[in-house]
Amino acid sequence: MSRYVITASPHIRNKVNTVFLMNTVSISLLPAAMGGIFIFGWKNTLPVILVSIVSAILSEGLLQKMLKMPLTWFDGSAALTGFLLALTCPPGIPIWLPVVGTIFAIFSKQVFGGLGQNPFNPALIGRAFMVLSFPVYMTSWMKPFSMVTSSTPLALYAENGGMKSVLAFFQGNVPAMYKSMFLGIRGGSIGEVFIPGLLLGLVVLLLTKTIKWQIPVSYLGTVFLLSWLFGMDPVFSILSGGVMFGAFFMATDYVTSPMLPKNQLIYGFGCGLLNVLIRVFANMPEGTTFAILLMNVVTPILDRKIKKPVGYIVDGAK
Amino acid sequence: MKSKTFSPGGMHIPDHKDLTKNLPIEDMKPGKDLLFPLTQHIGVPSEAIVKKNDIVKIGQVIAKAKGNFSTNIHSSVSGVVKDIKEYPHSIEGLSMAIHIENDFKDEWCEEIKQPNITTLTQKELAKIIQDSGIVGMGGAQFPTHIKLQPPSNVKVDTLVINGAECEPYLTCDHRIMLEKTDEIIDGINIVSSVIPFDRVLIGVENNKMDAVEAINQYVQKHKTTVNIQAIPLEKKYPQGAEKNLIQALTGRIVPIGKLPFEVGCIVQNVATLKAISHAVRMGTPMIDRVLTATGDCLKEPKNIRVRLGTLLSDVVGYCGGFVKEPKELVFGGPMMGINQRSQDVPVLKGTSGIIFLSELEDLNEGSCIRCGRCIENCPMGLMPYRIVELTKNKKYQETERYFSTSCIECGLCTYNCPSRIPVLNYIRTSKSEVIRLRRKS
Ligand code: SF4
Ligand code: SF4
């Protein structure tokens, strides 16, 4: 008589696995990516994206081979890192740059023991490395629908003295500014400019229960309120730079963000706070990358909290 | 009526109940060989009181309870004792079992008569239940007479009845509630005649609204002395777990490490109540049970009343054999049930389902991506991933700070882990280590 396999219960599994989750995030990035490709032209964007993804996957495979770790280069996480990194790059950068960036990103993950062990978001570490090592390339921005380099609204804001210069750029027309900021008709990184695409991606992530609402909402909410308190235009603040991209896709990275919903609210608040402070007080137009990386450091501290189980009684109460 | 539920945690799992939920219970004739393991309950194994070649009848006691935490075992057929030796056992692996060959005469033991009972004391009822070999039929096989004797210092006011049937695939309790409503209510009346409950709450997941209506209509038509109500619950696993069921129905929370008595509740399964009714009204001991034979491999999934001791191979034959080669065979539900190595094992008192699955679960363990899903769904509010980390580092004692011993082993953490980490296995390890260390000190 046939012999059946013996395993411990449960004997069924949810269909959602790591590959599925990673790929869901990648798919939810597509609308924003397509917006960027359309706005900046495929020649300036598509090669960056493809090279970045391929080089991330290859670096992961090679590193895992070298470090004699189990090969998981096709689990979708390396591809996602590459995709995320490419979308934070300015369009038209030299193609070797994302290669360097992804190698660094993947390396930063594997040295800590691979997926799940890395304290920092790999894509953001890769980007931080690129910004610090090749600042010129990483801050030369391209004007939408043309090949001439321009400045980003945020750079205008930071370098030329505030909102006035931004508005001057839009000939003083506030609704026109909002509209073009919303539609991504501005200088910026490939994936961060097309706001409708980012929002659509967020909806996909929330509907598929890939992420929870806590981090994006508290992050954006904090940026909005604090910018307003600091006398900045709050709408401009959340539409500009990589705030939305960061709040939706970077700060929500499972590995480097806290697990309990309450801690996620604190984490999102911290990201927003640091982001605004960097914008206001440091001599940097963008703050998203470093704000989130700094909060990555806080995650393990937040995660130390022990949740009280159902039926818990305080000692002495009974 | 709005469906009630527990919180936190829990989730709906694709239930596959459509395979059998509309199929009336069929009576399956027993096969030629039957096996009666001496361990069919939590507690001390019963003691065989028959010898090889003895002639036995239906309902005859073939093994006697040994101590209070034990129950009697009865033959479910008439025939002859072939052997008493170690046989494959679904839970224990190997266990002493009595092998009886059916003579197909279906003769009842003369001692079984319809008793003439008018009033019962709590003690008398407990005795009948223990003698009839009744144990929890939801799967745990906990001796029922013990559950019905609350310690004298607690006030029990609510009888909670588990008709949730939250495990995927299983529909036997659903069918019992529909087809044997009268027997369940009778069982309730018997139990509440010895324990003065204020109310009886029957929790039923709302994918079985027909059962809720059937019970409530029956209760309305036949006046009962105690207040009985069937209450719809959300479809959410593990709605039928004792502590979660109590919370869903009464709002009371059983403190960690305590029994339902603590919050004035006794929990019983619907099938168990039906068995109590049989034992008290007709004097028939536990010789059969209703189970769901199902899964994607069986040709004709069914709800069947099976004589205890029936071999699985006979059940498979009754269900028309296989359409697909099964890889895995589960006793009970797919979330908490136990795998069987072969079809040579018998149906036990707690076997609520027999499920043949063609697909083996993904056992490729990856690393924790800290997605938080195990925390989110844990019905006990634990942090399973932390217990896994600590167990991997052999820091068993530290897992107690994360309340590893409160885990009810519902399996949701393993079910949901996208990295296919057998979370519950690690928790089981840590639990048994914690208990071992406690014993030592
Ligand atoms: S098996 Fe235990 S730890 Fe896992 S979800 Fe269920 S109760 Fe929580
Ligand atoms: S569900 Fe699995 S991967 Fe997610 S946190 Fe829990 S153990 Fe880690």
Side-chain angles (χ1 to χ4, degrees), chain B residues 379-397:
Chain B
M380 295 311 288
L382 308 185
M383 300 177 85
Y385 88 100
R386 280 295 290 154
I387 304 176
V388 173
E389 274 178 8
L390 292 167
T391 308
K392 279 187 176 170
N393 294 326
K394 301 213 170 11
K395 293 182 182 156
Y396 306 117
Q397 233 150 2

Side-chain angles (χ1 to χ4, degrees), chain B residues 257-302:
Chain B
K258 294 282 165 34
L259 294 172
F261 290 147
E262 194 79 13
V263 292
C265 295
I266 288 180
V267 184
Q268 290 292 342
N269 168 275
V270 282
T272 311
L273 284 160
K274 171 174 163 282
I276 292 175
S277 161
H278 283 210
V280 173
R281 302 288 179 218
M282 285 166 318
T284 45
M286 249 192 113
I287 56 156
D288 59 14
R289 70 156 296 142
V290 180
L291 57 79
T292 306
T294 182
D296 61 338
C297 298
L298 270 189
K299 181 146 179 255
E300 298 161 25
K302 286 176 193 297

Side-chain angles (χ1 to χ4, degrees), chain B residues 189-351:
Chain B
N189 284 334
I190 292 168
V191 173
S192 44
S193 74
V194 301
I195 304 174
F197 295 108
D198 291 345
R199 54 179 178 171
V200 179
L201 304 174
I202 309 177
V204 184
E205 278 194 353
N206 60 15
N207 51 3
K208 298 180 269 289
M209 285 312 284
D210 48 352
V212 175
E213 276 153 33
I215 292 170
N216 285 339
Q217 273 166 15
Y218 184 92
V219 172
Q220 247 171 21
K221 240 193 260 151
H222 308 75
K223 288 264 168 318
T224 51
T225 43
V226 62
N227 174 14
I228 302 174
Q229 205 188 356
I231 293 174
L233 303 171
E234 266 176 38
K235 284 188 288 193
K236 192 164 101 177
Y237 181 86
Q239 195 76 258
E242 213 163 60
K243 292 183 174 181
N244 304 91
L245 187 66
I246 291 173
Q247 194 203 347
L249 288 173
T250 68
R252 299 175 192 170
I253 292 175
V254 183
I256 284 179
K258 294 282 165 34
L259 294 172
F261 290 147
E262 194 79 13
V263 292
C265 295
I266 288 180
V267 184
Q268 290 292 342
N269 168 275
V270 282
T272 311
L273 284 160
K274 171 174 163 282
I276 292 175
S277 161
H278 283 210
V280 173
R281 302 288 179 218
M282 285 166 318
T284 45
M286 249 192 113
I287 56 156
D288 59 14
R289 70 156 296 142
V290 180
L291 57 79
T292 306
T294 182
D296 61 338
C297 298
L298 270 189
K299 181 146 179 255
E300 298 161 25
K302 286 176 193 297
N303 297 303
I304 27 180
R305 174 162 39 248
V306 181
R307 300 279 176 92
L308 296 176
T310 298
L311 296 181
L312 283 210
S313 42
D314 290 333
V315 178
V316 172
Y318 185 76
C319 294
F322 297 127
V323 285
K324 260 195 244 171
E325 188 60 36
K327 284 225 173 59
E328 205 176 356
L329 160 50
V330 188
F331 254 30
M335 290 300 287
M336 294 183 80
I338 294 163
N339 274 154
Q340 301 298 325
R341 207 174 280 290
S342 76
Q343 295 178 27
D344 310 330
V345 288
V347 169
L348 305 179
K349 292 174 179 175
T351 309

